[in-house]
Amino acid sequence: MSYRAPVSNQRLILDAVVGIHELDGGPEADMVDAVLEGAAALAEGEFAPLLRTGDTVGARWNNGAVTMPAGFREAWSSFVEGGWMSLAAPEEHGGQGLPFVLSAALMDNLNAANVGFALCPMLSMGAIEAIERHGSDDLKRDYLPKIVSGEWPATMNLTEPQAGSDVGALKTRAEPNNDGSWRIKGTKIFITYGEHDLSDQIVHMVLARTQGAPEGTRGISLFLVPKILPNGSANDLRCVSIEHKLGIHASPTCVMSYGDHDGAIGWLIGPEHGGMAAMFTMMNNARLNVGLQGVGIAERATQRAVAYATERKQGQRNRLPVPIAEHPDVRRMLLRMRALTMGARALAYYAFGQVDRAARGDAGAGLRAEVLTPLVKAWCTDIGIEVASLGIQVHGGMGYIEETGAAQHLRDARIASIYEGTNGIQAADLVGRKLGLDGGLAFDGLIADIEAETQDSRLIALTDAVEVAAATLRASPPDDRLAGSYPFLTMVSVMAAGWLLERMARSGGADDQTRAAASYFLASVVPEALGLGAAAESGAALLYAVPAEALA
Amino acid sequence: MSYRAPVSNQRLILDAVVGIHELDGGPEADMVDAVLEGAAALAEGEFAPLLRTGDTVGARWNNGAVTMPAGFREAWSSFVEGGWMSLAAPEEHGGQGLPFVLSAALMDNLNAANVGFALCPMLSMGAIEAIERHGSDDLKRDYLPKIVSGEWPATMNLTEPQAGSDVGALKTRAEPNNDGSWRIKGTKIFITYGEHDLSDQIVHMVLARTQGAPEGTRGISLFLVPKILPNGSANDLRCVSIEHKLGIHASPTCVMSYGDHDGAIGWLIGPEHGGMAAMFTMMNNARLNVGLQGVGIAERATQRAVAYATERKQGQRNRLPVPIAEHPDVRRMLLRMRALTMGARALAYYAFGQVDRAARGDAGAGLRAEVLTPLVKAWCTDIGIEVASLGIQVHGGMGYIEETGAAQHLRDARIASIYEGTNGIQAADLVGRKLGLDGGLAFDGLIADIEAETQDSRLIALTDAVEVAAATLRASPPDDRLAGSYPFLTMVSVMAAGWLLERMARSGGADDQTRAAASYFLASVVPEALGLGAAAESGAALLYAVPAEALA
């Protein structure tokens, strides 16, 4: 099944939800159209055809080198030559300075087309922002233009075997040289695109600990460590192996060894011990972008399921053979897939748009983006998994056969709820930090905006329930707050997505698909989320009634 | 991670939910214990160690022959020699005549240990019942003892490329010979264990259409078609290929070609055109058994997740490093996995117990079993998928690495909601046939029993909501009923499982695990299901607001 970029839905969201034409110094309507159509052509023509070979052949490791499947290098060249890496990058470093939300539209398409491939540019985006905000002028001059162009893809090296969600436990060490550079030694795992043959140079962002640094996250520093040194020689780093994963087989997940010999040469990004701040610059973007993986995969799975269900004949209605899409429960699944996908897209683009407003000086939008980030990361990736799984179900037995393609979406989607901070960590962020941000006003402002706009009784009921749960959680000790964090996150996300869908359906640009999706979402998904209120407020005592071992 | 059979939980359910010792002519307590412990040893010692090789090596096809991974043939011999195939089979054909619910305990364990392997005996069970109820004395004499012993595994051949859920569309033909046998010609797909090297003989149950038969399901007949004919020569049938599937790689899913030459020789089971009745005999059992696949996989995934989460240290509580199981949201996931697994097991065993009571002449229990069958098949397999997916999440990044083993459970679980009648078909059966069974008394009796027993306000609220939804659906035209069927099925299933868990927690035999699982289920899962009421009653108009093509 070929992929068709959802351009009209993207345009509607950019207009009715993001208000892209109201952005200070934002692009003209012509430019927005050109980007949407160009991104569609790139995703449909270059990335989508490589989805299955990316899965079946996948990235291959041999003696430190990683070979991408046939066609990937050429597609990457098209991407670079088309200037797509530079879309939202700053103009002073060779970027086009377009709104971040347009890169969201691009990544949405690339994720739908080939999420394992799209991870490569996604990681570069975070690196660009980290170097731009925290890097020295020399690093910016020497590295940014080529990362911005896409010629030198970048990576994020955070995780170590003992330091996953707990980044502060990392052990990689950095020692200073006399010339301002550092020598890095340590092993990093789960490094996405840590090695590949899409380019000769790869620029690694590596978290490490300097001598005498404080324990935990306060003692972490970020380094830029290139695969090839400025003098043209190979740096002391190596891809030791790649992982055998459930999905995203196109994406090489590398074990990276730094400094097997004298130490890998690197340069500080930001001040010593300033690694966490730089990392969060990368991560915040990456979290929104991972949310878009859920959106993109959901879109592709939905298109595939609709195509199958409108073709495959089975059973009868009124004594005539019909495609299975005509059976009520199959239709319910298709409509649910579409409604969840559209709701997730609206919520994600809305968050990207708030980041754009914040970049233009709107502090309130910045706070709103902070509140939305865990919702987008966690809920949109949960939606990706649910929609991909429904897609298999729609296909019946054929969905379980790998050649059909539906199963790959579930396998690919399953990682997104884990990396860049597990969804549980997102939920903890929501109830731990975001609920109290700006004295609680950041969160309450979202509620107030929804209450001021919605006219739907079911959404009003959910918003009321969210308010009650928020009040309970705020008044609760940390464990109780954490115990209810996940169901609370889902309620808040559904509330926000429902609000945006309702607005889209009422806007002048709404089409039938949008109205049908919004109707279903408000009639089914919103009431479901109401059922989560009890779990959100039920507290931690229940969870600790027996030791964990007793649950085996 | 090694598997430990949940013997104490099984015993509690057999006592408090099934009331196995009250069964007419049922087994003594000693015998129940012997079966539970023997099944545990078989599953732990013989089946579980082959789980991963079943996945990584899998069944292999070469020129019509299928080779099972190393160790499977020996494990199958242990199974046969231990008499496990004959557990619940009728004594007059070499069986032990034990209650069906004890075979449920056996299959629960085998599914947890190695679901791809356990499919082999599962299919034989359905065949035994079909031949016993509908077969001629000759067929019973010639085939039942060896199928009952496990020496000759049996298969079910229903599906054809154009006839999946719509069995009536099948085209395989049968023509009579002069000696009472038939010649079968046609192609069947998705035939589980259609070919393998666990045994020399394989006995195929094949649905086909005789000449001049009425169209649709009324014209279907069931045939017994052995791989090796009574004279020792090979029958005219062949495994053309096996499928490349998302999971259950140990289970060969065969394309079977019957009658490439003169026709495969077979014998009628039951009367001509009596195939549907015989098929439903096989399917009803198989549906309950597929529900147990969800239970077994959920059990294994839960055990694996608890083992990992109580070992893996990450982050701190009160400034001390702790295993991740101590973090509230991880603990929530573990408790949810345990609660869903236990609820699904209770519901499934309860249904098997009703089948046993029905076999002993309790007509009401037979009707109750009919109501429960779609719940067990659909909800327990949904639980299998949800719990397996949560298991990946608990493992974080490691969960996405295939070597960890958590991902296999999701891949294996994903088929169970599809085969033996998709879960959507189960939902249709619930609202189409079971809601009105015995003039509605069969369903209403379940509600009444729950209302008479439960003391939990949340469960009472859900039961009230189910009653309201049932009344709405009964008063609705078919499309509206079908539109709400899936959320309705989930509500009813959660209600019934919550009822049984509440009873278990209050019983004398309850342990801490049971009480904790029941508390969580009633506090979180039951209120969630309340949120489905709106979707159950929302009708079909919403679904058909736009043509299916508009959802692409």
Side-chain angles (χ1 to χ4, degrees):
Chain A
M1 191 223 60
S2 58
Y3 169 62
R4 272 190 43 225
V7 175
S8 68
N9 188 240
Q10 294 179 318
R11 195 176 279 128
L12 174 62
I13 294 174
L14 292 177
D15 288 342
V17 168
V18 175
I20 192 168
H21 303 303
E22 303 151 15
L23 274 186
D24 273 356
E28 302 292 321
D30 283 1
M31 174 58 93
V32 171
D33 281 347
V35 169
L36 291 183
E37 280 153 26
L42 175 76
E44 293 168 358
E46 304 278 348
F47 275 52
L50 299 174
L51 177 67
R52 185 140 169 79
T53 177
D55 188 55
T56 54
V57 177
R60 303 240 164 159
W61 182 94
N62 182 35
N63 193 26
V66 173
T67 309
M68 296 294 290
F72 275 67
R73 197 176 165 106
E74 294 73 16
W76 184 251
S77 293
S78 297
F79 178 83
V80 171
E81 282 160 23
W84 291 105
M85 190 71 243
S86 69
L87 197 69
E91 290 172 278
E92 58 268 43
H93 302 292
Q96 300 171 60
L98 286 165
F100 192 36
V101 72
L102 283 182
S103 97
L106 167 66
M107 293 308 293
D108 180 6
N109 281 332
L110 296 187
N111 290 331
N114 194 329
V115 66
F117 197 2
L119 274 160
C120 184
M122 194 196 100
L123 286 159
S124 289
M125 285 182 181
I128 291 168
E129 196 150 0
I131 298 170
E132 209 245 331
R133 285 229 212 142
H134 306 282
S136 67
D137 288 342
D138 284 356
L139 286 182
K140 287 184 194 173
R141 182 198 62 219
D142 293 346
Y143 288 93
L144 265 187
K146 298 265 192 183
I147 302 177
V148 164
S149 72
E151 289 164 275
W152 293 358
T155 72
M156 281 167 63
N157 290 244
L158 281 54
T159 304
E160 299 180 11
Q162 77 295 344
S165 296
D166 185 4
V167 178
L170 67 83
K171 291 179 178 164
T172 293
R173 284 172 302 123
E175 290 176 18
N177 291 323
N178 296 328
D179 62 355
S181 69
W182 297 71
R183 271 166 297 134
I184 319 285
K185 293 196 178 202
T187 299
K188 294 286 181 177
I189 62 169
F190 295 157
I191 307 310
T192 299
Y193 280 88
E195 178 55 41
H196 56 76
D197 60 357
L198 297 175
S199 61
D200 299 326
Q201 177 68 300
I202 300 173
V203 183
H204 301 290
M205 307 282 115
V206 182
L207 282 183
R209 194 176 290 289
T210 56
Q211 212 162 14
E215 283 198 8
T217 53
R218 289 173 308 135
I220 289 173
S221 306
L222 183 66
F223 295 88
L224 184 153
V225 184
K227 178 180 173 185
I228 309 289
L229 289 167
N231 66 12
S233 65
N235 206 344
D236 182 12
L237 59 90
R238 189 163 186 276
C239 171
V240 177
S241 63
I242 64 174
E243 306 292 351
H244 173 221
K245 308 186 300 293
L246 176 61
I248 54 166
H249 295 162
S251 170
T253 303
C254 302
V255 177
M256 298 297 295
S257 180
Y258 290 91
D260 286 349
H261 305 293
D262 295 336
I265 305 295
W267 292 269
L268 260 174
I269 299 176
E272 204 178 333
H273 310 160
M276 280 305 275
M279 191 194 84
F280 272 115
T281 301
M282 291 195 286
M283 291 272 284
N284 263 335
N285 268 343
R287 286 176 173 184
L288 291 178
N289 269 311
V290 169
L292 282 178
Q293 295 184 333
V295 176
I297 295 170
E299 175 67 39
R300 188 75 178 272
T302 301
Q303 290 188 16
R304 194 184 293 276
V306 173
Y308 183 81
T310 51
E311 279 291 321
R312 165 77 173 171
K313 290 211 165 83
Q314 197 75 179
Q316 304 188 336
R317 275 173 77 82
N318 306 318
R319 309 198 161 217
L320 289 172
V322 289
I324 60 171
E326 297 309 311
H327 298 305
D329 188 61
V330 175
R331 185 69 72 94
R332 175 192 66 84
M333 291 193 276
L334 297 176
L335 183 54
R336 183 175 183 87
M337 294 171 80
R338 175 48 66 202
L340 293 175
T341 302
M342 198 184 290
R345 176 174 294 124
L347 184 63
Y349 284 28
Y350 177 65
F352 277 87
Q354 296 300 309
V355 174
D356 281 320
R357 286 167 194 262
R360 285 159 177 75
D362 180 344
L367 293 169
R368 177 69 53 93
E370 286 198 61
V371 171
L372 295 169
T373 297
L375 310 182
V376 170
K377 197 292 177 174
W379 187 69
C380 294
T381 58
D382 281 347
I383 292 309
I385 295 168
E386 177 178 348
V387 171
S389 190
L390 280 170
I392 293 176
Q393 193 69 22
V394 167
H395 284 79
M398 288 306 295
Y400 203 62
I401 307 297
E402 285 287 1
E403 284 80 358
T404 304
Q408 185 186 346
H409 298 314
L410 178 60
R411 290 189 290 99
D412 286 351
R414 193 61 195 79
I415 187 59
S417 65
I418 296 171
Y419 56 22
E420 302 302 340
T422 65
N423 285 5
I425 285 178
Q426 306 303 320
D429 179 45
L430 176 64
V431 300
R433 229 173 62 77
K434 305 303 169 66
L435 207 47
L437 195 66
D438 197 23
L441 294 176
F443 186 84
D444 295 344
L446 175 65
I447 300 275
D449 284 358
I450 296 173
E451 283 176 341
E453 183 174 347
T454 182
Q455 298 168 12
D456 187 277
S457 61
R458 298 156 298 190
L459 188 56
I460 291 167
L462 178 59
T463 309
D464 291 346
V466 166
E467 265 195 288
V468 170
T472 302
L473 294 178
R474 280 169 169 162
S476 301
D479 273 3
D480 289 339
R481 237 182 288 155
L482 291 166
S485 62
Y486 210 104
F488 181 68
L489 179 143
T490 305
M491 294 173 76
V492 177
S493 303
V494 170
M495 170 190 75
W499 167 52
L500 300 174
L501 285 174
E502 185 193 3
R503 184 197 293 177
M504 285 161 64
R506 282 208 319 267
S507 82
D511 56 12
D512 284 351
Q513 185 192 78
T514 306
R515 281 186 291 265
S519 293
Y520 176 83
F521 198 95
L522 293 165
S524 285
V525 183
V526 165
E528 273 170 45
L530 254 181
L532 296 168
E537 299 181 51
S538 62
L542 194 69
L543 302 180
Y544 293 94
V546 295
E549 289 75 10
L551 299 173
Chain B
M1 191 223 60
S2 60
Y3 169 62
R4 273 190 43 224
V7 175
S8 68
N9 188 240
Q10 293 179 319
R11 195 176 279 128
L12 174 62
I13 295 174
L14 291 178
D15 288 342
V17 168
V18 174
I20 191 167
H21 303 302
E22 302 151 16
L23 274 187
D24 272 358
E28 301 294 322
D30 283 1
M31 173 58 94
V32 171
D33 282 346
V35 169
L36 292 183
E37 280 153 27
L42 176 77
E44 294 169 357
E46 304 278 348
F47 275 53
L50 300 173
L51 177 66
R52 184 140 169 82
T53 176
D55 189 55
T56 54
V57 177
R60 304 240 162 159
W61 182 94
N62 182 35
N63 194 27
V66 173
T67 308
M68 296 296 288
F72 275 66
R73 197 176 164 106
E74 294 73 16
W76 184 250
S77 292
S78 297
F79 178 83
V80 172
E81 283 159 23
W84 292 105
M85 190 71 242
S86 68
L87 197 70
E91 291 171 277
E92 59 267 43
H93 302 292
Q96 300 172 60
L98 286 165
F100 192 36
V101 73
L102 284 182
S103 98
L106 168 66
M107 293 308 293
D108 180 4
N109 281 332
L110 296 186
N111 290 329
N114 195 329
V115 65
F117 196 3
L119 273 160
C120 183
M122 192 194 102
L123 286 159
S124 288
M125 285 181 182
I128 290 169
E129 195 150 2
I131 298 169
E132 209 245 330
R133 284 228 214 143
H134 306 281
S136 68
D137 289 342
D138 285 356
L139 285 182
K140 288 183 194 173
R141 182 197 63 219
D142 293 346
Y143 288 93
L144 264 187
K146 297 265 192 182
I147 302 177
V148 164
S149 73
E151 289 164 275
W152 294 357
T155 72
M156 282 167 63
N157 290 244
L158 281 54
T159 305
E160 300 179 12
Q162 77 296 342
S165 296
D166 185 4
V167 179
L170 68 83
K171 291 178 177 166
T172 293
R173 284 171 302 124
E175 289 177 20
N177 292 321
N178 295 328
D179 62 355
S181 68
W182 297 71
R183 271 167 295 135
I184 319 283
K185 292 196 179 201
T187 299
K188 295 286 181 177
I189 63 169
F190 296 156
I191 307 310
T192 299
Y193 280 87
E195 179 57 38
H196 57 76
D197 60 356
L198 297 176
S199 61
D200 299 327
Q201 176 68 298
I202 300 172
V203 183
H204 301 290
M205 308 280 115
V206 183
L207 283 183
R209 196 176 288 289
T210 56
Q211 212 164 16
E215 284 196 7
T217 52
R218 288 173 308 134
I220 289 173
S221 307
L222 182 66
F223 296 88
L224 184 154
V225 185
K227 178 180 173 184
I228 309 291
L229 289 166
N231 66 12
S233 65
N235 206 345
D236 182 12
L237 59 89
R238 189 163 188 277
C239 171
V240 177
S241 63
I242 64 174
E243 306 292 351
H244 173 220
K245 307 186 300 294
L246 176 61
I248 54 166
H249 296 161
S251 171
T253 302
C254 302
V255 177
M256 297 297 295
S257 180
Y258 291 91
D260 286 350
H261 306 292
D262 295 336
I265 305 295
W267 293 269
L268 260 174
I269 299 176
E272 203 177 332
H273 310 160
M276 279 306 277
M279 191 193 85
F280 272 114
T281 301
M282 291 196 287
M283 290 272 287
N284 263 334
N285 268 342
R287 286 177 173 183
L288 290 179
N289 269 310
V290 168
L292 282 178
Q293 295 184 333
V295 176
I297 294 171
E299 176 66 39
R300 188 75 178 271
T302 301
Q303 290 188 16
R304 194 185 292 277
V306 173
Y308 182 82
T310 51
E311 279 291 321
R312 165 76 173 171
K313 290 214 164 80
Q314 197 75 180
Q316 304 187 336
R317 274 172 78 83
N318 307 318
R319 309 198 162 218
L320 289 172
V322 289
I324 60 172
E326 297 309 312
H327 298 304
D329 189 62
V330 175
R331 185 68 73 92
R332 175 192 66 84
M333 289 193 277
L334 297 176
L335 183 55
R336 183 175 183 87
M337 293 172 79
R338 175 49 66 203
L340 293 175
T341 302
M342 198 184 290
R345 175 174 293 125
L347 184 63
Y349 284 29
Y350 177 65
F352 277 86
Q354 295 299 310
V355 174
D356 281 319
R357 286 166 193 263
R360 284 158 177 76
D362 180 344
L367 294 168
R368 177 69 53 94
E370 286 198 62
V371 171
L372 294 169
T373 296
L375 309 183
V376 171
K377 197 288 175 176
W379 186 69
C380 295
T381 57
D382 281 347
I383 293 308
I385 295 168
E386 178 177 348
V387 172
S389 190
L390 280 170
I392 293 177
Q393 192 70 22
V394 168
H395 284 78
M398 288 306 296
Y400 203 62
I401 307 297
E402 285 287 1
E403 283 80 357
T404 304
Q408 184 186 346
H409 298 314
L410 178 60
R411 290 190 289 99
D412 286 351
R414 194 61 195 80
I415 186 59
S417 65
I418 296 172
Y419 56 21
E420 301 302 341
T422 66
N423 284 6
I425 285 177
Q426 306 303 321
D429 178 44
L430 176 64
V431 301
R433 227 173 64 77
K434 304 305 169 64
L435 207 47
L437 195 64
D438 197 24
L441 294 176
F443 186 84
D444 295 343
L446 175 64
I447 300 277
D449 283 358
I450 295 173
E451 284 176 341
E453 184 175 347
T454 183
Q455 298 168 13
D456 187 277
S457 60
R458 298 154 299 189
L459 188 55
I460 291 168
L462 178 58
T463 309
D464 290 348
V466 166
E467 265 195 288
V468 170
T472 303
L473 294 178
R474 279 169 169 162
S476 302
D479 273 4
D480 289 338
R481 237 182 289 156
L482 291 166
S485 61
Y486 211 103
F488 181 68
L489 179 144
T490 305
M491 293 173 76
V492 176
S493 303
V494 170
M495 170 189 76
W499 166 52
L500 301 174
L501 285 174
E502 186 194 3
R503 184 196 295 177
M504 285 161 63
R506 281 207 319 266
S507 82
D511 55 11
D512 285 351
Q513 186 192 78
T514 306
R515 281 186 290 265
S519 292
Y520 176 84
F521 198 96
L522 293 165
S524 284
V525 183
V526 165
E528 273 170 44
L530 253 182
L532 296 169
E537 299 182 51
S538 64
L542 194 70
L543 304 180
Y544 294 93
V546 295
E549 288 75 9
L551 299 173

